[in-house]
Structures are given as C-alpha cells and as structure tokens.
Amino acid sequence: MQLRNSNLQRLSDDTFDVLIVGGGINGASAAAALAGKGVKVALIDRGDFASATSQQSSNLVWGGIKYMESHDFALVRKLCRSRNHLIESFPSSVQEIRFLTTIGKGFRFHPRTLWAGTWLYWLMGNGFTRIPRFLKPRDIRHEESIINTDEALGGFEYSDAYLHDNDARFVFSFIRNALDAGACAANYVESVGARREDGLWHCRVRDVTDQSSFEVRARVVINAAGPWVDRHNQLTGQSTDHHHAFSKGIHLIVPRLTEQRRVLAFFADDGRLFFVIPMGPRTCIGTTDTREERPEVEITDGDINFVLDNINKRLRLEAPLTRDDIISTRCGVRPLAVRSDQNGGRDFLQMSRKHAVDINAEDAHISIFGGKLTDCLNVGEEVVEEVRQLGIEIPDPEARWYGEPGAERRQAFIERAGQIGLDERTPTTSSESLSVRLWRRYGEEAFSMLERINEDPRQAELLIEGTEYLRCELEHARSREMVTRLEDFLRRRSKISLVVSEAEIQQSPGLREACEILFGDEAQQRLEEYFAPAQSHLVRQGITDDEHPCIEAGDQTDDSDSLSLSSPQT
C-alpha cells in the first residue's frame, strides 16, 4: 500500500497540468501518453484500474470486420492499422490469431461473398496478417470437428489479434508506464465534483477505502469515466456535443471446448457475430448486444440462455453445455458515442464503436466518449494534441510512450535468464517457459525478478499452484501494482477468478499465503471482504449505484492462469 499512500499525498499536495478521471483504457492511454511526453499528470479511479468495461471485453484486438456491412470503411481501415501497430508494438502481448467463421443455410450472404469481403478486409489492413482461406463444410469438419456443419454452406478463415494476457492487465500496463514516467495515479479515489477558479480546477475527491476527502488541483480535467462520462459532466457543469448509449454484452467462461488455438465465429440468431474464444485452459463464449438505459447492468437468465442456446446449436458437443458448466461470467456495457441531437436508437446493432473527444476550451475540460481497446494508441495521441491546444506545454512531443522494450533488451533478459538457469526451473504444469512469461508480463521490471530468484531460489516456486504465479510475482504486485483489494489481483492483475471457480479459490491452501504477501496484517480482512456473502462486484469495491454517480470504465488470453489453486510442494 506504500505506493498508493505516497500517491495520495501527492494528489493532495501538488498542482497538476492534467487530472484524468477514470482509469479504463481511455484514461490509462491518455495518462501514459501525456506523462510519457513530459506533462505533469494525475489519474484517479473510483474503483480499481480497468474495473468496469475494460475488464469485460472479448480479449480481441481486431479491425472491426463487422463494420464493413454498415460500410464504415474509414473506421475499419483505421482499426486495422491500429491493430497492426499494436501487434508490432506489443509482440509478446498482442498476437495474431485465426478466426474461422461458419455460414449456415439461409444466411443473408453466401459464404463466398463474405470470403471476398475478408480479402478486402485483408487489403485494408495492408496485407499485414496471413491471407484468408475459403473452407467447404468438409474442410470445417476436418479442422474443427466440434462445429456442427449439418446446415453449413461453407466458411472462411482470416486473421485478427488477441491479448495473450487479460484485458485489464493490458490496461494496467499503461498505468504502470504513466507511473514510471512520473504520473501520480491512485485507485479507489472518487471524484465527487469540481469547480473552476482562477484558471484551475479544484476537484473534490473521496478516498473510498476510508471515506476521507481532499482536493486535487489541475489546469485541465479529462473526463475518461467511460459509461459514467455523462454523469460526471453533470457534476462539473459540462455540456457536450455527444452523450452515451449503452449496449450490454456478456460472456460465459466454460471448460475448454477445443484444443485448436483459433477463434470460432458464427452469426447468432439475432444476426450478430458470436465467438468461441480460447482462454488458456478455458473457453470464452458470447456475446450479447442488448440496449440498456443505465451503465449498471447484471447478467440475466435471458442472457445466459441466449449464449447457451446459440453455442449448443452451432457446436457438436458430447453433451450440451448447461449452467453447471459455467465457471465464471463477464458482464458490462459498451459505451457508444452518440451525438446529442440524436437519440441513439436507430440501427442500434450497427452503431459505430468509434470514439469522440469533446472539448470545452473555455473551461479547459475534455470528455472522451466511446472507444475500443484496439484504438487506444490513437486516443492517447489525440488527447496529447488537444491538451496542447488548451495551452499545456508538451516538453517532449516526440517521445514514444507505449510498446515493449526493444529486441536488444529482450535478448539481454533471455541471456541473463539463461545464466541463472531460469527455464530449468519452469514447473512441468506450465504452458510456457518462465523467461517468455516473465518478459511478456513485466518487461524491464523482470530483470529485478531474475536477481531475486538468483538470490533466493524459493522466489521461483509456484505460490498458487496451477496459475503459474511465482512468489516473486506476488511480491512485485505488492510493491509495484497497487493491489488494494484481493479482487484487484485475482481478477485484473491476473485472471485467476475468470478461469477458476469461486469455490475452488476459497478452498485454496495457497491463497492465504498469497494474501499475506499482498496485504500483510490485513490479509484476513481482505479474504473476508472478497468472500463476503451476496456481495456484488461494485459493492466489493465500496461502490453503490445511487450514492455517488461517478466511476471509471474502459474496454484478454493467457494460458498461465490455469486450474488448480494450492500450496506449492515442499
């Protein structure tokens, strides 16, 4: 907690160039971009970083092939280029993956028409990925025997990308980059309103963990509160050209359905794309697209039935999936940017996911609407330019603020790992070598882990067996990742709670020791808080929907968060 406590003190004492409200993908990328270019930045989030929309995605980094049907080619072209740039910039984390789409009889387009569309999609992405393929029903059966091809006319295979680790951890990497560049960030700090006085914003904030209040001062405020942007603008008296419409999406996490590492795509009964996505030892299936009036949503029986019905129709399983097969669920809203002179109701399923940035130059206030994880680098650069237009000096405008360390540093890490025999310590249950995994997750920070392991071999032991989390990683999370509550680690810095049922987690002998490393004397309190009966995700974070309206939001797959949770063998 030392990092968070020191940042709380800075928030209260300093005056910042920019205060960002919301630590989802929009706020995180904006903070990393601004701090990386030398701007004095603060970021607060009412919950944990990436604890709303940004932890509920499909873990896909894609160019938006579905938007081609609505002829939004400019958006597709932009997203394809963004996808390519992310693959190049984060080669360990953002990786190309094949999509196999099956087309059934009676669909509005013939499979060969859609196959031709994938070639256009490939060309719009500058031919960056592997070329598309057309598949006849027998080819589909041969490559993915679980697909029910009884009503299939054919299919096609093309490429997009996915996150090897979970979406929330990817968002946190931008927060970490911002911190490393000098930014001040704190989770569980709620903005409850602000006033502008003598050229400064005076923002009233509340520490959710102890209910204390203080003030943060900044020249510019950026509202990146995701689905709650409109509510926060009401608190600060802002009128904008855009507002949000909400689309609820859910995913179900079930046991792994296929050994093949590709995404299976279908068109669901409502006509929208429906995915079967690899998630290490599990499979993620979904999604829905339901119009909602509020950003606070819950998964319903109807949502679950829709996903189960669609998947059971399209896969040839030994036994149909039922509720008993569900390990965990994901449920959140997509905040869709709509012009304020429109109601957002027309062609709801085809509404654009492009982001919008509204500027109030007189008040030095910026609001970010909509957006996708794929577009995060563009959001960061756009925000930097808008902040510059508002009179904030950008000391190092050409600085690169994103991406993994270069090939030379990676090679240096691999060589050092070889010198201490790191990969020989890889547990037999691991899906990849320790050197590959530690570099992907921590980059430059993994060097210090090598030295800890060299000094104390126990640091390379699995603390929570089956999840591939080492003792040194828990210590790193305690000191460098601002883990404030147990859910922060289990759900966002890792994705353990997605791939392991709550009952298994609760029975894990290794979890207690993990909590002691993360929280010290507060370990028991954090365990009881996490497993308290009938507590919702928001209540766990100290948040109620009606008490205070402002919260963050933002926009997944790694073999490493696996099945068993137990103490290491000694």
Side-chain angles (χ1 to χ4, degrees):
M1 296 294 288
Q2 183 176 352
L3 175 60
R4 180 175 183 272
N5 290 338
S6 64
N7 280 359
L8 289 176
Q9 191 64 50
R10 284 185 60 194
L11 284 172
S12 176
D13 292 347
D14 291 358
T15 297
F16 299 90
D17 292 328
V18 178
L19 170 65
I20 300 171
V21 179
I25 189 58
N26 287 340
S29 59
L34 289 165
K37 294 177 184 291
V39 178
K40 190 174 183 180
V41 178
L43 180 146
I44 60 174
D45 192 296
R46 182 182 178 183
D48 187 28
F49 309 117
S51 60
T53 299
S54 287
Q55 68 170 2
Q56 307 292 4
S57 81
S58 299
N59 277 1
L60 300 179
V61 178
W62 62 323
I65 192 172
K66 71 175 185 177
Y67 307 136
M68 293 179 66
E69 187 175 356
S70 57
H71 301 150
D72 200 347
F73 297 120
L75 176 61
V76 174
R77 168 72 170 160
K78 181 180 179 182
L79 291 176
C80 281
R81 295 177 66 183
S82 299
R83 175 204 64 197
N84 298 349
H85 195 33
L86 285 171
I87 293 173
E88 290 178 322
S89 302
F90 299 91
S92 299
S93 300
V94 183
Q95 300 173 348
E96 181 178 346
I97 192 170
R98 298 295 272 178
F99 283 62
L100 174 57
T101 304
T102 302
I103 305 301
K105 296 175 182 177
F107 190 67
R108 57 187 180 272
F109 297 111
H110 191 276
R112 290 192 180 275
T113 302
L114 296 175
W115 176 57
T118 64
W119 277 96
L120 176 59
Y121 186 61
W122 181 76
L123 290 169
M124 294 176 74
N126 294 337
F128 184 83
T129 59
R130 294 165 55 191
I131 63 173
R133 290 195 304 150
F134 179 81
L135 292 90
K136 297 179 180 179
R138 66 172 180 269
D139 300 323
I140 297 173
R141 287 194 297 270
H142 174 72
E143 298 201 18
E144 286 286 358
S145 59
I146 69 166
I147 296 178
N148 185 346
T149 58
D150 291 347
E151 298 295 320
L153 290 174
F156 52 90
E157 188 182 63
Y158 66 99
S159 289
D160 262 312
Y162 82 120
L163 289 172
H164 199 289
D165 285 296
N166 59 321
D167 46 6
R169 179 157 193 93
F170 186 70
V171 172
F172 182 77
S173 71
F174 288 100
I175 299 289
R176 187 64 259 176
N177 285 349
L179 289 168
D180 290 342
C184 178
N187 50 3
Y188 299 99
V189 176
E190 176 191 20
S191 170
V192 295
R195 73 185 190 280
R196 187 157 181 83
E197 188 175 284
D198 298 329
L200 281 180
W201 281 101
H202 299 257
C203 300
R204 292 177 291 112
V205 303
R206 180 177 69 100
D207 183 345
V208 173
T209 66
D210 63 9
Q211 309 306 311
S212 62
S213 297
F214 56 96
E215 189 173 87
V216 181
R217 297 172 301 279
R219 296 170 62 190
V220 174
V221 165
I222 298 177
N223 181 357
W228 291 271
V229 164
D230 296 307
R231 294 189 188 176
H232 193 268
N233 279 340
Q234 292 175 6
L235 293 177
T236 53
Q238 295 298 305
S239 177
T240 56
D241 293 334
H242 292 83
H243 67 273
H244 273 142
F246 304 115
S247 166
K248 181 175 72 170
I250 75 143
H251 296 85
L252 307 181
I253 314 302
V254 299
R256 183 158 52 195
L257 299 179
T258 173
E259 296 298 320
Q260 305 301 320
R261 292 185 59 81
R262 58 156 65 96
V263 176
L264 306 183
F266 307 92
F267 285 92
D269 292 344
D270 64 359
R272 66 173 276 114
L273 278 169
F274 185 87
F275 298 111
V276 176
I277 305 166
M279 187 183 280
R282 306 302 192 193
T283 295
C284 176
I285 55 177
T287 179
T288 59
D289 202 343
T290 309
R291 180 68 183 269
E292 297 287 343
E293 296 302 319
R294 291 166 50 88
E296 297 83 18
V297 294
E298 294 181 352
I299 195 166
T300 67
D301 288 342
D303 296 328
I304 294 173
N305 291 337
F306 175 86
V307 174
L308 292 178
D309 289 347
N310 274 278
I311 200 63
N312 286 327
K313 288 177 184 177
R314 289 158 177 82
L315 297 185
R316 198 189 306 273
L317 303 172
E318 291 185 7
L321 289 174
T322 69
R323 291 169 182 266
D324 292 339
D325 296 303
I326 299 172
I327 297 163
S328 62
T329 63
R330 320 184 84 175
C331 177
V333 295
R334 307 170 188 90
L336 309 176
V338 181
R339 289 202 57 89
S340 295
D341 55 2
Q342 301 171 352
N343 61 19
R346 186 178 62 181
D347 299 324
F348 176 66
L349 295 180
Q350 296 297 328
M351 287 179 63
S352 174
R353 269 54 173 174
K354 68 177 66 174
H355 72 271
V357 178
D358 282 6
I359 314 297
N360 182 336
E362 183 178 355
D363 285 353
H365 187 279
I366 297 173
S367 302
I368 307 175
F369 295 88
K372 293 172 62 66
L373 188 149
T374 309
D375 210 22
C376 62
L377 301 186
N378 292 327
V379 170
E381 293 289 355
E382 186 174 343
V383 166
V384 170
E385 177 57 24
E386 297 297 350
V387 167
R388 186 185 69 80
Q389 293 285 346
L390 292 175
I392 302 298
E393 179 186 0
I394 310 298
D396 194 359
E398 302 303 318
R400 184 177 173 87
W401 53 273
Y402 57 86
E404 297 177 12
E408 291 185 2
R409 292 300 292 162
R410 182 182 186 279
Q411 185 58 35
F413 175 81
I414 296 299
E415 290 176 1
R416 179 58 181 150
Q419 291 171 1
I420 70 170
L422 178 67
D423 286 346
E424 283 71 27
R425 305 172 191 267
T426 303
T428 57
T429 56
S430 294
S431 60
E432 59 187 349
S433 66
L434 286 179
S435 60
V436 169
R437 181 165 58 77
L438 292 181
W439 177 257
R440 184 184 69 251
R441 282 183 179 165
Y442 306 106
E444 287 282 351
E445 294 183 321
F447 280 95
S448 62
M449 294 184 184
L450 293 184
E451 301 315 312
R452 290 283 293 127
I453 291 170
N454 192 39
E455 295 168 0
D456 178 8
R458 291 182 71 249
Q459 295 299 317
E461 293 178 354
L462 291 176
L463 181 60
I464 306 177
E465 189 172 340
T467 67
E468 301 187 24
Y469 272 86
L470 310 181
R471 291 177 185 273
C472 63
E473 292 182 84
L474 270 294
E475 292 185 357
H476 178 86
R478 177 192 62 204
S479 63
R480 299 280 292 169
E481 297 190 345
M482 217 176 294
V483 174
T484 305
R485 303 199 171 165
L486 182 55
E487 186 185 19
D488 302 343
F489 176 73
L490 292 179
R491 179 65 177 80
R492 287 176 288 278
R493 309 301 183 269
S494 74
K495 63 170 186 292
I496 292 172
S497 65
L498 279 176
V499 298
V500 182
S501 70
E502 185 166 302
E504 289 178 274
I505 294 173
Q506 192 164 13
Q507 295 166 8
S508 163
L511 187 62
R512 174 69 194 213
E513 185 177 354
C515 278
E516 290 172 350
I517 292 175
L518 290 170
F519 306 114
D521 294 340
E522 296 182 356
Q524 185 61 35
Q525 176 186 344
R526 296 306 175 200
L527 277 169
E528 293 174 355
E529 174 185 72
Y530 183 81
F531 292 111
Q535 283 201 333
S536 70
H537 164 72
L538 292 180
V539 172
R540 277 179 179 166
Q541 296 187 53
I543 298 167
T544 58
D545 296 342
D546 298 325
E547 181 184 5
H548 295 290
C550 175
I551 184 177
E552 77 84 24
D555 270 337
Q556 11 323 159
T557 34
D558 174 12
D559 287 339
S560 59
D561 293 330
S562 188
L563 305 181
S564 173
L565 284 161
S566 59
S567 295
Q569 299 295 320
T570 57

